[in-house]
Amino acid sequence: MEEQKLLLRLQKSIDHAKSSPFYKKHLMNTNIHSLEDFKRIPFLTKRHLRENSPFGLLAVSKNQTVQYHESSGTTGQPISIWYSESDLNRIINRTSETGVHFSNKDTMVVRFPYAMSIIAHTMQDTGKKHGTCIIPTDSRTTITPMTRVIELLRKCEATILACMSLHAVMLAEVAEGVGLNPRKDFPHLRAICTAGEPITLYRRRLLERIWGVPVYDNYGMTETGTIMVDCKHQHLHQVNDDFYLEILEDDLQTATQQGDIGNLVITSLSQSATPMIRYITGDTVRISTELCTCGKPYYEIHGRKEAKWTVKDIEFDLWDIEEIISPLNSNKYWAAATRNDALHLVIEKEGQESEANMISKYEQELKEKFGVSIYIHYVEKGALYDRREPLSFGMKGKPIYVLPAHELDYVLNRLDVNE
């Protein structure tokens, strides 16, 4: 976007945000004449959102809002987000740009939670806009356990499955448990739409190998709705210029070089009910150095800033871990912990694993590559995700891949472990 046009939109967004009680103080006397002025604006944090919920950031009258959502985060204190009709329409327009291309020939099973988060509503409303038939299978209710989702996918001849990437792995396991082959026994399924957690290149390949259909990702959050979607070439792109994105080094001052991983900060460029002005999302992002086949650079979401594992100043993120485990025979369910200057990868065993000496050889290769010790621990199925209660399998919140060091022994010892 041309800089002068961007500055005008940024100033308009700032002026609009000042309609809210919080921003009236937070942005008092703020006017920008350059991007350097903009970069001096104080950041918006999750603490600000929590402390000023429910009405502190509302920048329109309450009777202009049509939908309310909350995100509890890690503290349990809810973050309040209000949406107007025009906000929701913009979210639908952004989501419509996904390479999956919803149509009236599609039937979509929506397996996201409907309560308080926004993604299930986004997928449903976007599908309906394009004439897609929606099957709502809320992931937080016992009414639609995974066995019933599998039944609905089959008998209703669903063409699209919308769910978290890990849930797509779990659903395939459930299908196999009742004698079905995910690649062959869902002949109408043509695509999987993921959201709710970052999807790495390695998880995408895993899903496409399991289900035999392409995967299209949607990146956003409760605070903003959809920000980026995969194009038809399955790369994430920002759409519709509704946000100004900054990717900053850990000092939160310096912009990263293209190709480096940085901290994502977003600013709303539309007149939203709950504006985000320089909001620190907590997500780490990389912009590609090469162009997508569609001609644009693309984004990789590398996960939450706090969801990293640091060993002797070497940082591992979600992409690093899934790259490490991707060559293994078992690589679907895992968690990681750091302890005693080493990275420990706990992986649920899926079948006959490599001999112990083969794993030792791989661990040595990893040590030579990264300069730190990395240990692989196989545990029996159920150590990380309990299958003993089929109704609750897959009903937890977002997957927790970070295993606290004090829980490592508990997980390794809770079942008969074969390493």
Side-chain angles (χ1 to χ4, degrees):
M1 189 185 305
E2 187 264 322
E3 184 170 325
Q4 194 56 42
K5 181 180 178 182
L6 173 61
L7 287 171
L8 290 173
R9 292 192 68 185
L10 288 170
Q11 184 62 58
K12 187 176 181 180
S13 295
I14 291 167
D15 292 341
H16 169 71
K18 290 178 185 177
S19 302
S20 71
F22 168 76
Y23 281 119
K24 188 175 183 180
K25 297 178 181 178
H26 189 69
L27 298 177
M28 185 183 297
N29 301 322
T30 297
N31 292 288
I32 60 171
H33 303 285
S34 67
L35 286 179
E36 290 305 312
D37 290 341
F38 177 76
K39 293 172 184 176
R40 287 190 281 269
I41 292 176
F43 292 110
L44 175 69
T45 67
K46 291 188 185 296
R47 179 178 61 82
H48 290 135
L49 295 179
R50 293 188 192 101
E51 292 177 352
N52 291 275
S53 290
F55 298 111
L57 277 81
L58 184 59
V60 299
S61 62
K62 190 168 177 291
N63 62 12
Q64 290 179 264
T65 62
V66 297
Q67 208 159 291
Y68 173 84
H69 293 275
E70 285 187 355
S71 174
S72 61
T74 56
T75 68
Q77 283 185 272
I79 289 172
S80 297
I81 303 296
W82 302 86
Y83 286 110
S84 66
E85 190 70 41
S86 61
D87 289 334
L88 296 180
N89 287 336
R90 279 190 287 267
I91 292 171
I92 291 169
N93 289 340
R94 294 194 294 270
T95 308
S96 294
E97 295 295 316
T98 180
V100 76
H101 298 307
F102 302 105
S103 79
N104 59 7
K105 297 178 182 179
D106 285 312
T107 299
M108 177 165 58
V109 169
V110 178
R111 182 58 179 172
F112 295 112
Y114 274 78
M116 302 315 293
S117 65
I118 193 171
I119 184 61
H121 303 273
T122 295
M123 297 306 293
Q124 174 161 317
D125 292 345
T126 304
K128 287 170 65 178
K129 175 184 177 180
H130 298 277
T132 297
C133 177
I134 305 299
I135 304 176
T137 62
D138 192 324
S139 63
R140 299 292 187 271
T141 174
T142 56
I143 295 172
T144 49
M146 288 201 171
T147 49
R148 190 169 185 194
V149 177
I150 292 299
E151 177 192 352
L152 290 165
L153 280 167
R154 288 256 296 166
K155 76 177 184 180
C156 295
E157 301 180 347
T159 59
I160 300 172
L161 168 62
C163 63
M164 293 176 63
S165 66
L166 183 62
H167 283 189
V169 176
M170 292 176 165
L171 283 165
E173 179 184 317
V174 171
E176 290 166 350
V178 296
L180 298 173
N181 183 327
R183 291 182 68 92
K184 296 179 179 179
D185 294 325
F186 299 84
H188 299 278
L189 189 69
R190 68 175 186 86
I192 296 173
C193 292
T194 60
E197 62 172 327
I199 183 168
T200 68
L201 172 65
Y202 312 98
R203 176 69 64 84
R204 189 191 296 270
R205 288 173 177 169
L206 173 66
L207 290 181
E208 293 183 345
R209 185 173 75 246
I210 291 171
W211 288 95
V213 298
V215 174
Y216 298 92
D217 197 30
N218 177 309
Y219 172 71
M221 58 200 75
T222 301
E223 298 93 314
T224 61
T226 298
I227 297 175
M228 307 175 199
V229 294
D230 273 353
C231 69
K232 66 180 181 179
H233 305 290
Q234 298 172 280
H235 285 141
L236 273 180
H237 302 289
Q238 186 185 358
V239 289
N240 293 3
D241 289 332
D242 284 338
F243 299 95
Y244 176 59
L245 307 183
E246 302 173 78
I247 302 178
L248 305 178
E249 300 281 3
D250 286 345
D251 62 7
L252 294 179
Q253 300 293 324
T254 311
T256 60
Q257 297 294 313
Q258 191 164 342
D260 292 342
I261 300 170
N263 302 278
L264 180 63
V265 177
I266 63 171
T267 295
S268 310
L269 292 179
S270 56
Q271 307 305 298
S272 55
T274 310
M276 299 286 125
I277 308 295
R278 300 206 81 200
Y279 176 50
I280 301 176
T281 63
D283 287 335
T284 56
V285 177
R286 174 184 177 270
I287 301 181
S288 67
T289 54
E290 64 275 12
L291 296 180
C292 174
T293 307
C294 71
K296 298 182 290 187
Y298 55 89
Y299 292 80
E300 294 174 352
I301 310 302
H302 279 249
R304 304 296 298 167
K305 179 68 176 176
E306 66 267 20
K308 285 190 175 186
W309 299 264
T310 303
V311 182
K312 293 183 178 179
D313 298 325
I314 304 296
E315 283 192 342
F316 298 86
D317 63 21
L318 194 67
W319 281 68
D320 298 319
I321 302 296
E322 295 206 333
E323 181 181 10
I324 290 170
I325 68 173
S326 62
L328 302 175
N329 292 333
S330 294
N331 52 27
K332 294 178 182 177
Y333 306 105
W334 62 269
T338 57
R339 191 173 67 180
N340 299 332
D341 292 331
L343 177 66
H344 296 263
L345 304 181
V346 180
I347 305 171
E348 282 198 3
K349 190 165 57 174
E350 297 163 34
Q352 293 297 319
E353 304 308 332
S354 303
E355 297 288 339
N357 61 343
M358 296 293 290
I359 292 299
S360 297
K361 181 180 178 182
Y362 187 47
E363 290 174 340
Q364 184 58 38
E365 292 173 0
L366 293 172
K367 184 174 183 178
E368 292 172 2
K369 178 179 179 179
F370 293 101
V372 296
S373 296
I374 299 175
Y375 298 110
I376 295 168
H377 308 273
Y378 285 124
V379 295
E380 298 295 334
K381 182 182 285 189
L384 298 177
Y385 293 93
D386 192 351
R387 277 74 152 185
R388 291 173 296 181
E389 295 292 338
L391 285 179
S392 64
F393 183 48
M395 282 183 60
K396 288 185 178 180
K398 289 189 178 182
I400 299 176
Y401 300 111
V402 179
L403 187 66
H406 67 273
E407 293 185 14
L408 180 60
D409 287 332
Y410 170 76
V411 172
L412 293 179
N413 295 327
R414 63 178 290 201
L415 291 178
D416 185 21
V417 177
N418 181 8
E419 295 184 37

